[in-house]
Structures are given as structure tokens and as C-alpha cells.
Amino acid sequence: MAAPRCVENFAGLESQKLVDDGISSLSSQEQESVEESVGQKFSLFHQWAEREGEDFKWPPLNKEKHLHYLHKGLHHLPEGYECLDASRPWICYWILHSLYLLGEKIPEEQSSRIAQFIGKCQCPDGGFAGSPNQQAHLAPTYAAVLTLCTLGTEEAYRIINRETLRSFLSSMRSSTGAFTMHKGGEIDVRGAYCAVVAARLTNVYQPEMFEGTAEWIASCQSYEGGFAGQCGMEAHGGYTFCSIAALVLLGHERLCDMQALLRWLSQRQMRFEGGFQGRTNKLVDGCYSFWQAGAFPVVHGILSKQHDPALDTSSWMFNEDALQEYILVCCQNLNGGLLDKPGKPRDYYHTCYCLSGLSLAQHFLTDNMNVKYVMGGEGNELQMTHPIFNIGLQSAEDALQFFSKLPLPSSR
């Protein structure tokens, strides 16, 4: 593998910055500000490499500091997280998945405590809430299921009431096939993705639960090629990932215009920064290291089945080196945790999705082979994540195997 761009071709990177053609706007000013902060990071790293010479070490992933930050979050959260009281299963998932990616094992006693807490978030009529005694919601239901599957113990699996879960998922479906996030709540493609992931992993999936869903999702593909939250809105990275992943899980990926999607995805990787933006003309953000880059393996798998000789399917269809460089050089907090972009605070959300994107960029999976592109050497290597569920590959396999042995719940 070649050295990072900011070492090998530092001067050439300048040509990749924004050219505003002499017409300044608030958006161009913000982009220039981000490029300046990212450029400062690249410059410092370049100077370090020149100073060290042959002793130069690749960008290190500060695993020990990240682990300390994550373990601390399992026991105590700062006051700033009070506003996320309705997202507690999410916090569990973000931390546990990050720990998995870093190769950390969860002690049995701690695993049991987490599983029991998630159980307290389960609602009597099915699904999970963002905190005990709150309303059932598809987003924390998705996070709760992923958390329990990541724990991977029988106790964790048994927490899930599959009969009421199936009933809750079915009740969230609208007549169009779309899913509302909660009773009386908003409708967007997140709902369909959260519902089908929960249904597939726990083996409560039945075709009638998702009648018309794939067609509704396909209607949300915009003129740009990406997917919007609803039909007629702007294409967005998070919605795009949810849409294409849900279509695959529903077995209807043929409804997507793949060439248009691939074109839009490829245009979201920033030329100078190396990371991804979430929408056209927006700023780079570390979380899209997964939400955008994570869609490429899904698209790759679909296109590979078409056996088109014109398609190069020997590597990911994005610059995995540039993405790794952005995460390692620009998104690590010196005290642990990862972040959106230089100057932003660390948090568990960005830690999870920066590490998830880094894992995808490191591991190219094809025909049961794992080809590695690990910037910084073996010490930076992360565990592999499942590109559709975003939990460990083995965690996904174990959960699917466990729940496949259980009978389908009866419909009510």
C-alpha cells in the first residue's frame, strides 16, 4: 500500500480543494474553513513524516485511549448526554459495537446487566422504547435488537419477545407499505430499514408484513441517484444506506437504479478531505464513513451478481486509502473517541460510525476471501463488520442461526 496522500503527494492535494470561481457564498466559506482545518492536520502529519524519515510510523489508531473512553461510557455518561435519555439503547449499541470493532470482549456479568437493562426498555405491546416506560419506537427497537445480538448470549436473545415484536412491527406499517417510526409518528425510509432488520435477525419476518414496502422505498430514489427520506425530497446518505440495505433484505434490489446510485455515492467522497459528505454541497462528516461508504459493499454485491465484464469488482468502488487517512488523521480525539471533523467534540455516535467505516475500508470481502488494506499496519486493524446490519459478522451469523431454530410467532 502507498503512503497516505498527505505524505506521498502533499503538494498535489492542494489542487483538490474547492474552486468557487470567484463567487463566494456561505456554503463555500464553510467548505473553505473545513478544508483549512483538515489541511492543518495533514500538514502536521506531513511534517512529522519528514522529520522521522525512515523511522516514520503510519497514522496510529489510538486503540487503548478509545477503549478507555468507551468503557467509561458503559458506567457513567457526562451531563451532556441527558438530552439522549430517549436514545439509551442506541448508546449501548454505539459503545458495544465500537468495543467489538476494537477486539474487546465484554465480561459475562457486564453483558448480563446490559441485556437486563435493554429488557426494561421493551414495551408490553411489543418493540423497544428509548428508555424504560417510554413509547415503543422503531429506531430504539433496531438499536436494542443489534445490542442484544452483539452481546450474543442466550440470555440476551431470550430478552426479545418475538410475538409482541412481530405485532409491533406489523402495526407500524402503513397502507402504502411505508413504516411510521412510532404510533402517530413520522414516515421515512429509516422505518422500513429498522423494521426489516429487526424482523430478519429475529426470524419474525413474513412477506405480508412488508407488502408494498420495496416499491415504496424505490419511489424515494431521487433524480440525483441517492435516496430521500420520502418521495420528492433531497437524497441523503443515511436514507440511501437504509434504502439499499432494506431492498436487499427484502429481495427487491432490482427496483433500484444501480448506475444512478453508484454515480451519486462516488460523488460524495470529498476529493481533498478523503471522507464523505452526506448530501450534495455539504461538509465532510466522519459518521458518513459508514452511512455512505457502507453502501458500496451492498452495491458491489449486487453488481457482482450481474457478471458485467466492464465492472471492476476487484476492490471497493471508493478510495479506501483516502477514507482511512481522513479517519486516522482528522477524526481521532487525543483523549479517546472519534469525531465528525477537526474542531468538533468526540461522541459515541461518531466513534461507532467512524470505526465502522474504517473497518469497511480495511477489509474487502469477495467470494469468502478477505483482502486487507490496513493503513498503519496490523496494529490498526479492526474486526470486520456486517455491511447491512453493522454488527460483527459472527454476531450476525450466530443470531440468525439461533432464531432460525425458533418457530415463527403467530400473527395477531
Side-chain angles (χ1 to χ4, degrees):
M1 176 187 290
R5 298 175 307 152
C6 59
V7 173
E8 186 179 59
N9 189 28
F10 180 72
L13 269 181
E14 292 294 312
S15 65
Q16 301 302 312
K17 288 185 174 181
L18 172 72
V19 177
D20 65 7
D21 295 323
I23 303 174
S24 181
S25 67
L26 179 59
S27 294
S28 67
Q29 292 166 17
E30 290 179 338
Q31 175 63 27
E32 288 167 352
S33 177
V34 170
E35 288 179 347
E36 181 179 359
S37 63
V38 169
Q40 289 173 356
K41 291 283 188 179
F42 286 167
S43 178
L44 287 172
F45 190 73
H46 177 68
Q47 292 171 25
W48 172 40
E50 285 193 324
R51 183 176 64 250
E52 296 296 318
E54 293 183 358
D55 296 327
F56 164 68
K57 304 296 183 185
W58 299 61
L61 179 63
N62 300 316
K63 288 186 177 181
E64 291 304 317
K65 291 184 178 180
H66 299 324
L67 287 171
H68 176 76
Y69 170 68
L70 292 163
H71 279 298
K72 185 178 179 181
L74 285 179
H75 297 282
H76 175 77
L77 292 172
E79 291 182 0
Y81 279 85
E82 186 177 359
C83 63
L84 292 179
D85 182 60
S87 301
R88 294 169 76 180
W90 276 110
I91 297 172
C92 291
Y93 163 66
W94 295 332
I95 293 176
L96 289 177
H97 184 52
S98 297
L99 289 171
Y100 157 77
L101 291 170
L102 291 165
E104 189 79 347
K105 302 287 186 181
I106 302 298
E108 184 177 342
E109 182 179 349
Q110 188 174 44
S111 173
S112 179
R113 288 201 304 270
I114 296 170
Q116 290 172 30
F117 169 74
I118 295 295
K120 293 178 182 178
C121 296
Q122 189 164 212
C123 300
D125 294 332
F128 292 81
S131 202
N133 303 316
Q134 294 184 3
Q135 184 181 15
H137 191 292
L138 277 174
T141 295
Y142 163 86
V145 169
L146 294 188
T147 296
L148 295 170
C149 290
T150 297
L151 292 173
T153 63
E154 184 166 346
E155 177 190 17
Y157 294 150
R158 297 289 183 187
I159 291 290
I160 302 171
N161 185 326
R162 296 170 61 248
E163 185 168 335
T164 60
L165 174 63
R166 183 190 185 283
S167 176
F168 168 68
L169 296 179
S170 296
S171 71
M172 292 299 101
R173 180 183 167 276
S174 71
S175 59
T176 63
F179 280 75
T180 181
M181 296 302 291
H182 59 88
K183 187 176 180 180
E186 71 274 24
I187 287 178
D188 57 55
V189 294
R190 290 176 306 154
Y193 171 70
C194 291
V196 71
V197 166
R200 285 294 195 189
L201 279 173
T202 62
N203 188 33
V204 303
Y205 177 92
Q206 290 182 296
E208 59 267 25
M209 295 170 61
F210 296 93
E211 185 177 351
T213 301
E215 289 77 10
W216 181 82
I217 292 173
S219 74
C220 297
Q221 188 170 18
S222 81
Y223 73 94
E224 290 185 273
F227 285 79
Q230 294 180 349
C231 180
M233 299 179 70
E234 182 183 12
H236 180 281
Y239 293 137
T240 295
F241 174 83
C242 289
S243 296
I244 189 59
L247 287 174
V248 169
L249 290 172
L250 292 167
H252 287 290
E253 58 270 23
R254 59 180 174 77
L255 297 177
C256 172
D257 183 341
M258 283 296 160
Q259 296 300 326
L261 173 59
L262 183 58
R263 181 177 62 250
W264 182 81
L265 284 171
S266 64
Q267 291 171 348
R268 301 285 71 77
Q269 187 168 21
M270 309 298 280
R271 292 181 301 175
F272 177 72
E273 301 93 309
F276 283 84
Q277 62 183 181
R279 291 177 285 161
T280 303
N281 290 331
K282 293 298 182 178
L283 303 176
V284 69
D285 186 333
C287 73
Y288 293 111
S289 301
F290 176 77
W291 294 121
Q292 296 284 33
F296 280 93
V298 182
V299 172
H300 186 105
I302 296 168
L303 294 178
S304 295
K305 294 177 183 178
Q306 298 178 2
H307 304 295
D308 185 343
L311 292 171
D312 180 9
T313 56
S314 61
S315 63
W316 291 147
M317 299 176 187
F318 66 94
N319 189 330
E320 66 272 18
D321 287 357
L323 179 59
Q324 291 186 57
E325 178 186 55
Y326 175 70
I327 295 170
L328 293 170
V329 176
C330 299
C331 294
Q332 295 192 83
N333 185 290
L334 294 176
N335 296 314
L338 290 97
L339 39 96
D340 166 352
K341 60 177 68 69
K344 295 289 187 176
R346 63 184 179 175
D347 59 66
Y348 296 109
Y349 168 82
H350 283 93
T351 299
C352 174
Y353 292 111
C354 282
L355 291 176
S356 298
L358 184 59
S359 173
L360 287 171
Q362 290 177 348
H363 299 278
F364 174 69
L365 297 172
T366 180
D367 298 329
N368 298 317
M369 294 179 63
N370 175 24
V371 182
K372 300 176 184 177
Y373 300 90
V374 182
M375 181 174 287
E378 293 182 0
N380 282 356
E381 185 177 349
L382 296 173
Q383 299 294 314
M384 289 184 286
T385 192
H386 193 291
I388 290 181
F389 300 128
N390 200 24
I391 58 177
L393 291 176
Q394 192 61 51
S395 297
E397 183 177 332
D398 290 346
L400 291 168
Q401 185 175 11
F402 177 87
F403 289 112
S404 69
K405 297 177 181 177
L406 303 180
L408 282 171
S410 59
S411 57
R412 294 195 291 174

